[in-house]
Amino acid sequence: MAVQSQDAIVTGGFDAPVFDAQSVFRALMDAMARPGTVQAIAPRASAPSPLGPVAAALALTLCDVDTPVWLDAALATDGAIARWLGFHAGAPVTDDPAAAAFALIGDGPSLGSLDRFARGTHDYPDRSATLIVQVPDLAAGPALTLTGPGIKQSTALAPSGLPARFTTLWADNNALFPCGIDMVLATPDAVAALPRTTRIQSTEN
Amino acid sequence: MYVAVKGGEKAIRNAHRLLADRRRGDRSVPALTLTQITCQLALAIDRVMSEGALYDRDLAALAVKQARGDMIEAIFLVRAYRTTLPRFGYSEPVDTGAMHIERRISATYKDLPGGQMLGPTFDYTHRLLDPELAGDAAVPDAERRDGEPARAMRVSDILAQDGLIEGDCDAQTEMPGDITREPMEFPMERDTRLQSLSRGDEGFLLALAYSTQRGYARSHPFAGEIRIGEVEVAVDMPELGFAVTIGRVQLTECQMINQFKGSSKAPPQFTRGYGLVFGQSERKAMAMALCDRAMRARELGEDIVAPAQDEEFVISHCDNVQASGFVEHLKLPHYVDFQAELELVRTMRAEHESRRDAGEPMPEAAE
Amino acid sequence: MTVQPTGLADYNFAYLDEPTKRMIRRAILKAIAIPGYQVPFASREMPMPYGWGTGGVQVTASIIGPDDTLKVIDQGADDTTNAVSIRAFFAKVAEVSTTTSTAEATIIQTRHRIPEETLGEGQVLVYQVPIPEPLRFLEPRETETRKMHALEDYGLMHVKLYEDIARNGHIATTYAYPVKVEGRYVMDPSPTPKFDNPKMDQSEALQLFGAGREKRIYAVPPYTSVVSLDFEDYPFEVNRFDEPCALCGAEGVYLDEVVLDDRGGRMFVCSDTDHCEKRRAAGHRGAMASEGTLA
C-alpha cells in the first residue's frame, strides 16, 4: 500500500467528533422529518475519493461496529473507502447488500433495484436499510413533487444523479409500507432525505 | 390571595444537602473508608457488582457508601455509570473449569475428584449474634492449604461421561447476544436470558426459584455443583495472534441438575439449570439456575403453567433498577391526569344521580 | 468534552457516550420514517430512575447541541421538581442554555402536557413515555401486541372503547387516549390529557417519544395526521372547563384544580405555567389575580 493512500485513510475524520456528529445528525434529522428540504452541512470530514465530504460526514455520524455498510461499485473500487470507514467508524463493510444497515451509493444513475436491500419485516419494519446516495445537486435534475408526512401539502425537489426510472422504483418502495428503505441524498454541501413515507411524482406529468 | 408554588430548585438543593448531612451522620464518628467497605462488607460489594453488572470493587464500595447502604440504590448508581463506559473489546469466554477454587460443593456425590471444599460459608454457622464483633477483637488467620489453589473437574462433566445429562447447550458460533446493546426481543435465546438473570434482582429470583420448589413448575433439582473462586479473563489480541490475560474476577457458578422424564422433544435424562454471577453470591447463583431451568420449558417441550416458566413475565420484571424506578415514579406529580380523571368521575356521578332520581335503570357497575 | 473530571468517574457531553448516541440517533431516524411505529432500542441506564423520564432524557441527550435552548416541563409546569431536576441535568452535562419560554425553546422535553402555545418548525417536542404500547393494558404480552401492530389488528382497542360507551355512555379514557398516526399505527400519546390530542395533528414541530424502561422510541413527523380513535356516533371530544383560569383569565386551556383551604375552597389555574405568566405579563387578569401575583 502506498504511503499516500495510508495517509488518506487515517486522516479526514471529524476534528471535534462529539459536536460534529451532533450537528450533522441534527441536519439529517431535520431532513428526514421534513422530506424535500435541503439542509446545509459544512465540510467536516474528508474521505478517499470519490466519497464526498457530506456522505463521509453522514457515515461517521451514523455508522459503527454495529452497522454493516455496503458500498456500490463506484465506492468499493480499490478498498480505500472501506478502510477509511473501518479506521474512523469501526464499521464493517459487507458484500451482501441485504445485510447492510447502510448502503453508500456513489453512482446514483446505476442504483438499480432497491429489492436487494433489507426492507424490514412487518413485525420489525425498522430493520431496513438506509441508502446514502451521493448526488451532484438537488436543484438541477428532473423536477419532482413530494407529498407525505413531514410535508405541508407538497414540496419540490430536483435531484440530479438518480436513475431514470427513479419514481417507479420509489413507488414500489412506497407500496411496501410500513416496510421499505429510506434514502438520504448527499450533495457536496447539503443533504435531503426521502423516508419511505414520501410519495414522489414527476412534476412534468 | 393565591400565589403559585415556586422554588423547586431551592427545595431540591436543600433536600440534597440534608441527604448529605444524614449520610455523613455524627461528625465525631470517623467516616467509612472505601477500603473498609470492600474488606468488611464484601458480600454487599459482590451483590452491587453482580446486579450492577460492573466488576469494580472500589466503584461498588463508593456506590454503597453514597447510597447509605441502600443496595438497589447502589446498584442503580453503578449501572448508570457503567452504561457510559466505551467498550474496548470482548474477552474470551471465561473457563470456570479452570477456576482457582475457594469453595466447591456438590450435593449429588459424597466425594468426588477435587473434593468438597466448604470455603468461607455461612453454612453450619449457628445464627447467634456474636457480641465479639461489636468490638475489634483479634481474628486468627485462616488455615490454608499449601501450594497452588485447587482445580477440580466439573460435576456436570462427570455425569456427561455416562451420557446421563444433556450436553451444554450448543456453543454458539456467533457472538452471544447482549441486552445492554441490543433491544430485548421475545421469545429470547438462552444467552440473553441468562444475562438478564445474572443482572436480575436477587430477591425476585429467589422468590421465583422458591415457587418452583413448592410446585409451581416443579423441576426436581439437585445442586450438582456450586463453585466460588477466581477465573482469568483473557482478551484476544489480533495483533499478537494470541489471547492475553488481563486480570482475574471472582465468580460463583451453580450447575443445577434436574431430573427430567422426557417429552416429545427430548429423551429422559438429567437437564441443567445454570447460574453464574460476579463475586460470592451463592443464593443468587442457585436462584438463577432454578429460574433458568424453569424458563427452558418451551425448549424442552414442557407445559408452561407457572410464573417462573413465563419468560416474558420473569425477564420483563427481574431488573430491580427498572422496577424500583417505575414503582417509585408514582411519587412524581400526576395532577394533570388526576384532574382529567376527577372531571370524569364527577361527570359519571352526576349522570348516576340523575338516572337514579329519574328512576332509570342503572348500567352494569364498572369493574 | 468531559464533565467532572474526578478520576474515579467522568462523563461525555450530554452524558451518553458516542456509540450510544449513534444507536439512539439511528432509532430516531427510523422512528421518523415510520410514523407511530415503536422502534426498539437498547435503552441505557440513566442517572435518574427508570420511569422518571429516562427515555425522554436519552432522546434529548442524543439530539441536543451547544446551540440549543432547552425547556423542560412536567404537568405543564417548568418549576415542578422533576422538570427542575432534568433541566439542571442538561445545564450541567451539556452546558446548554435553558428557558421556561415555550417560544424561545428549540427542544422542549415534556411529561404529561403539550404546551398551549402552538409550536413552530424550529422546535422539537420530546415526550417522556412510561408505557409506549397503547395495547399493553388490553394484552400484556409484547409477542402478541407486536403481531397486532404488524397485522394492523386494532379490534381489541375498539372493543375496549366501545365497552366504555356501553357501560358509561361515553368513552371513559381521559388521558393517554390512543391515536392513529397517518392512518396506520395506533400510538400512545404518552399520558397527556386527551385535551392535548388535537395539538398533535399536523403539528409544525417534530414530535419524538422516548420510553426508557420499555426501550422504545417513536415519532410523529411535522405535518402528519394524528387522529384520536372514536366512533361515528360517539365522536372524540376534549374535556372543557366551566371557568377560565383564575389568574390569567384564559379560556380553552387545560386547568389545574388547586385546593385553597380545608373548607372546600378551590380555584382553577393554567397547567401551562409559561402560558399563564405570559398572559399576565400582557395584562390579562383572572378572577383571583392581583397585581402582586406576578412577583
Side-chain angles (χ1 to χ4, degrees):
Chain A
M1 190 186 310
V3 173
Q4 204 174 358
S5 116
Q6 186 65 41
D7 280 352
I9 283 156
V10 300
T11 60
F14 286 146
D15 284 338
V18 172
F19 300 107
D20 286 345
Q22 188 275 335
S23 133
V24 172
F25 172 72
R26 273 297 274 282
L28 175 59
M29 182 178 87
D30 285 344
M32 194 63 87
R34 301 167 198 283
T37 61
V38 177
Q39 309 285 337
I41 291 184
R44 291 167 194 277
S46 63
S49 175
L51 189 66
V54 168
L58 290 170
L60 293 186
T61 301
L62 296 171
C63 305
D64 59 26
V65 66
D66 294 327
T67 57
V69 176
W70 181 85
L71 303 175
D72 75 350
L75 299 180
T77 53
D78 61 354
I81 292 170
R83 287 197 297 279
W84 187 86
L85 285 171
F87 182 84
H88 292 281
V93 168
T94 176
D95 294 336
D96 178 8
F102 293 94
L104 299 185
I105 313 291
D107 179 13
S110 316
L111 177 58
S113 164
L114 300 176
D115 294 349
R116 336 175 245 172
F117 303 105
R119 300 176 297 181
T121 64
H122 278 86
D123 278 357
Y124 293 96
D126 55 303
R127 295 181 182 172
S128 62
T130 302
L131 272 55
I132 298 172
V133 184
Q134 286 201 138
V135 296
D137 64 78
L138 295 163
L144 304 175
T145 303
L146 278 45
T147 55
I151 301 166
K152 190 178 186 179
Q153 289 161 348
S154 74
T155 191
L157 193 70
S160 311
L162 289 178
R165 41 190 285 276
F166 178 67
T167 52
T168 312
L169 287 177
W170 195 256
D172 293 345
N173 189 52
N174 285 151
L176 301 170
F177 189 83
C179 299
I181 60 113
D182 305 302
M183 188 174 285
V184 176
L185 305 177
T187 73
D189 59 5
V191 67
L194 301 173
R196 66 195 76 181
T197 49
T198 301
R199 292 174 292 278
I200 303 178
Q201 285 189 306
S202 290
T203 306
E204 282 78 22
N205 287 354
Chain B
M1 191 47 59
Y2 172 75
V3 180
V5 187
K6 288 270 180 192
E9 224 153 315
K10 194 173 171 201
I12 290 173
R13 206 164 46 238
N14 285 339
H16 292 173
R17 197 165 155 178
L18 181 58
L19 168 66
D21 176 83
R22 291 287 192 273
R23 173 163 49 220
R24 179 60 184 86
D26 185 345
R27 309 293 200 275
S28 68
V29 176
L32 272 174
T33 66
L34 297 191
T35 315
Q36 285 172 334
I37 298 172
T38 48
C39 292
Q40 296 174 46
L41 297 177
L43 301 192
I45 298 302
D46 286 352
R47 181 172 177 199
V48 172
M49 293 197 305
S50 173
E51 293 171 36
L54 179 68
Y55 195 93
D56 187 317
R57 291 189 192 279
D58 292 335
L59 285 179
L62 178 61
V64 168
K65 183 175 178 179
Q66 189 175 331
R68 306 178 69 194
D70 180 329
M71 297 301 282
I72 292 182
E73 180 69 21
I75 290 161
F76 178 19
L77 284 166
V78 167
R79 287 265 197 99
Y81 177 64
R82 120 183 242 295
T83 193
T84 66
L85 299 175
R87 199 162 294 214
F88 298 118
Y90 295 88
S91 76
E92 298 285 291
V94 296
D95 180 6
T96 54
M99 182 183 274
H100 299 260
I101 285 173
E102 187 166 52
R103 168 170 167 80
R104 186 268 197 130
I105 55 162
S106 169
T108 52
Y109 292 97
K110 182 175 184 190
D111 200 3
L112 67 170
Q116 307 262 16
M117 294 173 63
L118 286 181
T121 179
F122 291 121
D123 296 349
Y124 318 113
T125 61
H126 298 136
R127 270 61 170 197
L128 304 171
L129 283 171
D130 180 2
E132 292 250 301
L133 282 171
D136 187 16
V139 176
D141 289 340
E143 285 284 340
R144 299 205 82 109
R145 179 157 52 187
D146 292 335
E148 275 291 290
R151 297 188 183 200
M153 76 183 295
R154 281 181 290 222
V155 168
S156 51
D157 295 336
I158 300 172
L159 272 175
Q161 287 169 353
D162 300 332
L164 293 175
I165 194 166
E166 60 172 341
D168 267 325
C169 66
D170 296 333
Q172 281 139 331
T173 47
E174 287 176 39
M175 284 280 279
D178 183 350
I179 56 164
T180 69
R181 296 181 58 84
E182 301 281 328
M184 266 190 218
E185 192 183 318
F186 293 106
M188 290 178 105
E189 296 298 325
R190 195 169 173 211
D191 53 355
T192 45
R193 205 165 60 203
L194 286 169
Q195 184 187 14
S196 305
L197 290 175
S198 190
R199 292 157 52 101
D201 182 73
E202 178 175 318
F204 180 74
L205 298 184
L206 178 67
L208 281 172
Y210 177 45
S211 75
T212 68
Q213 292 180 283
R214 290 195 65 261
Y216 290 85
R218 188 169 174 220
S219 63
H220 309 274
F222 296 93
E225 182 175 7
I226 294 155
R227 51 170 64 195
I228 302 174
E230 291 191 328
V231 297
E232 292 186 340
V233 177
V235 176
D236 186 44
M237 297 281 173
E239 296 86 351
L240 301 178
F242 53 88
V244 175
T245 299
I246 56 166
R248 285 179 175 187
V249 296
Q250 187 190 32
L251 297 176
T252 301
E253 182 185 56
C254 173
Q255 293 259 15
M256 207 59 88
I257 297 171
N258 305 76
Q259 186 215 79
F260 176 59
K261 57 183 193 297
S263 73
S264 57
K265 287 193 179 178
Q269 60 186 322
F270 290 110
T271 55
R272 300 167 190 250
Y274 187 69
L276 184 74
V277 294
F278 281 151
Q280 176 173 348
S281 190
E282 205 161 278
R283 185 188 302 121
K284 168 74 181 286
M286 294 176 75
M288 175 176 167
L290 289 169
C291 290
D292 170 47
R293 176 58 186 80
M295 279 186 283
R296 295 183 60 210
R298 179 168 37 89
E299 170 198 345
L300 293 168
E302 296 170 317
D303 292 334
I304 296 177
V305 293
Q309 295 171 305
D310 185 333
E311 171 185 274
E312 203 172 328
F313 175 79
V314 175
I315 301 297
S316 299
H317 302 112
C318 71
D319 188 295
N320 55 27
V321 178
Q322 291 174 7
S324 65
F326 202 46
V327 166
E328 295 193 37
H329 109 285
L330 293 173
K331 291 183 281 195
L332 293 178
H334 282 78
Y335 56 77
V336 162
D337 293 344
F338 186 70
Q339 186 66 44
E341 293 286 88
L342 208 53
E343 293 295 325
L344 177 69
V345 172
R346 280 180 182 141
T347 308
M348 284 165 44
R349 281 183 70 97
E351 288 168 359
H352 181 88
E353 275 160 26
S354 68
R355 259 191 238 115
R356 188 190 56 203
D357 294 348
E360 287 173 21
M362 297 290 177
E364 285 174 55
E367 283 158 16
Chain C
M1 181 186 303
T2 54
V3 179
Q4 298 175 304
T6 61
L8 253 185
D10 49 84
Y11 299 101
N12 189 25
F13 173 82
Y15 181 77
L16 297 174
D17 60 295
E18 292 302 301
T20 298
K21 285 186 203 166
R22 261 196 305 276
M23 174 272 293
I24 293 172
R25 286 168 180 164
R26 292 192 294 256
I28 289 172
L29 294 179
K30 288 299 173 194
I32 293 170
I34 318 168
Y37 165 76
Q38 303 162 53
V39 180
F41 80 112
S43 174
R44 303 298 200 236
E45 283 90 355
M46 295 302 285
M48 55 280 291
Y50 282 120
W52 297 51
T54 56
V57 169
Q58 287 179 81
V59 168
T60 299
S62 301
I63 67 174
I64 202 165
D67 300 335
D68 278 307
T69 304
L70 176 70
K71 172 183 164 82
V72 183
I73 50 172
D74 187 338
Q75 315 294 301
D78 299 273
D79 59 348
T80 33
T81 43
N82 204 41
V84 168
S85 168
I86 291 173
R87 190 164 58 240
F89 172 73
F90 280 110
K92 182 175 177 180
V93 301
E95 296 169 25
V96 293
S97 50
T98 59
T99 183
T100 57
S101 164
T102 300
E104 283 170 24
T106 55
I107 299 173
I108 302 171
Q109 179 167 328
T110 182
R111 177 170 172 265
H112 293 195
R113 276 309 311 277
I114 299 174
E116 303 293 358
E117 201 172 326
T118 305
L119 301 180
E121 289 210 340
Q123 297 183 300
V124 183
L125 184 59
V126 178
Y127 295 76
Q128 301 173 198
V129 184
I131 304 278
E133 178 48 71
L135 304 167
R136 183 60 69 234
F137 299 114
L138 308 173
E139 168 51 64
R141 284 177 197 283
E142 162 71 10
T143 35
E144 294 299 319
T145 53
R146 183 161 293 281
K147 258 183 250 162
M148 293 176 188
H149 283 295
L151 299 171
E152 206 175 346
D153 173 8
Y154 296 123
L156 204 56
M157 181 63 89
H158 284 99
V159 168
K160 189 262 171 198
L161 295 176
Y162 199 79
E163 278 175 357
D164 269 7
I165 294 170
R167 184 175 295 142
N168 305 310
H170 43 74
I171 293 171
T173 300
T174 59
Y175 62 93
Y177 190 102
V179 295
K180 196 162 202 181
V181 181
E182 202 60 22
R184 175 58 177 82
Y185 283 101
V186 167
M187 184 187 94
D188 179 83
S190 87
T192 48
K194 69 176 181 178
F195 177 89
D196 285 337
N197 275 20
K199 296 176 188 163
M200 306 177 78
D201 182 42
Q202 302 295 334
S203 168
E204 289 181 24
L206 169 63
Q207 301 173 76
L208 300 176
F209 299 77
R213 196 177 34 74
E214 299 281 339
K215 304 176 172 43
R216 298 288 184 273
I217 286 172
Y218 52 103
V220 175
Y223 307 114
T224 295
S225 146
V226 178
V227 178
S228 302
L229 299 185
D230 63 358
F231 298 93
E232 246 170 53
D233 43 346
Y234 287 93
F236 172 81
E237 50 188 28
V238 298
N239 33 337
R240 303 220 171 275
F241 293 86
D242 295 336
E243 45 191 306
C245 170
L247 295 180
C248 76
E251 296 185 31
V253 296
Y254 197 80
L255 301 176
D256 294 332
E257 184 170 336
V258 178
V259 178
L260 294 172
D261 53 43
D262 57 7
R263 299 179 305 277
R266 55 197 60 198
M267 66 190 286
F268 288 86
V269 298
C270 281
S271 134
D272 184 335
T273 51
D274 175 60
H275 186 69
C276 196
E277 279 166 24
K278 287 243 174 65
R279 282 180 52 84
R280 278 178 283 150
H284 297 283
R285 288 289 178 275
M288 296 179 78
S290 71
E291 288 310 309
T293 319
L294 230 182

